[in-house]
Amino acid sequence: MGYVDGYLVPVPDGNKEAYRTMAQKASEVFRDYGATRVVEAWSDDVPDGKVTDYARAAHKKDGESVVYSWVEWPDKETRVAGWEKMMTDERMKNDPATNPFDGARMIYGGFAPIIEA
């Protein structure tokens, strides 16, 4: 069933196009190193919860939207090898001053699927 990297990040609404451009560039690098699919989704219908929700999880501020993303890999081994190569790839270098989001509030992790329907 493969392996999945998941991400949740708040992005200022005014940076949507800059984020999309950055994500498109990064998705090409992910695929070059073995990812089979990259999805970046801008929040559209994300309700406030009573206990927790996406906005609270991402520490969203006014004027920001939550982006929910995932990267699919054929297996964890391909993901580990791909990440090692991506971290030295010049295309992944960026200036933190021009980053379209606050990386400190990004939530991320690797997941082993337990069901696929």
Side-chain angles (χ1 to χ4, degrees):
M1 288 193 288
Y3 198 79
V4 178
D5 281 318
Y7 308 90
L8 189 67
V9 63
V11 178
D13 293 332
N15 290 353
K16 184 176 183 178
E17 186 57 29
Y19 182 87
R20 191 201 65 73
T21 299
M22 180 213 61
Q24 181 65 43
K25 180 180 168 185
S27 72
E28 293 169 8
V29 180
F30 276 100
R31 290 190 323 272
D32 284 350
Y33 292 115
T36 56
R37 185 174 183 215
V38 178
V39 176
E40 298 275 354
W42 195 267
S43 57
D44 177 59
D45 183 14
V46 182
D48 292 335
K50 291 183 180 181
V51 177
T52 192
D53 53 40
Y54 282 104
R56 282 183 251 185
H59 297 278
K60 178 185 152 313
K61 298 176 184 174
D62 287 341
E64 292 181 330
S65 294
V66 176
V67 175
Y68 179 68
S69 310
W70 68 92
V71 179
E72 297 175 10
W73 300 91
D75 50 52
K76 187 173 182 181
E77 294 75 23
T78 303
R79 181 255 201 171
V80 170
W83 268 105
E84 289 175 8
K85 293 173 186 171
M86 285 188 305
M87 292 301 101
T88 61
D89 191 303
E90 287 297 317
R91 296 173 293 171
M92 294 297 281
K93 304 285 187 215
N94 69 334
D95 179 0
T98 61
N99 203 10
F101 64 93
D102 178 3
R105 291 187 289 147
M106 175 187 275
I107 301 168
Y108 58 91
F111 298 83
I114 59 172
I115 187 169
E116 183 175 324

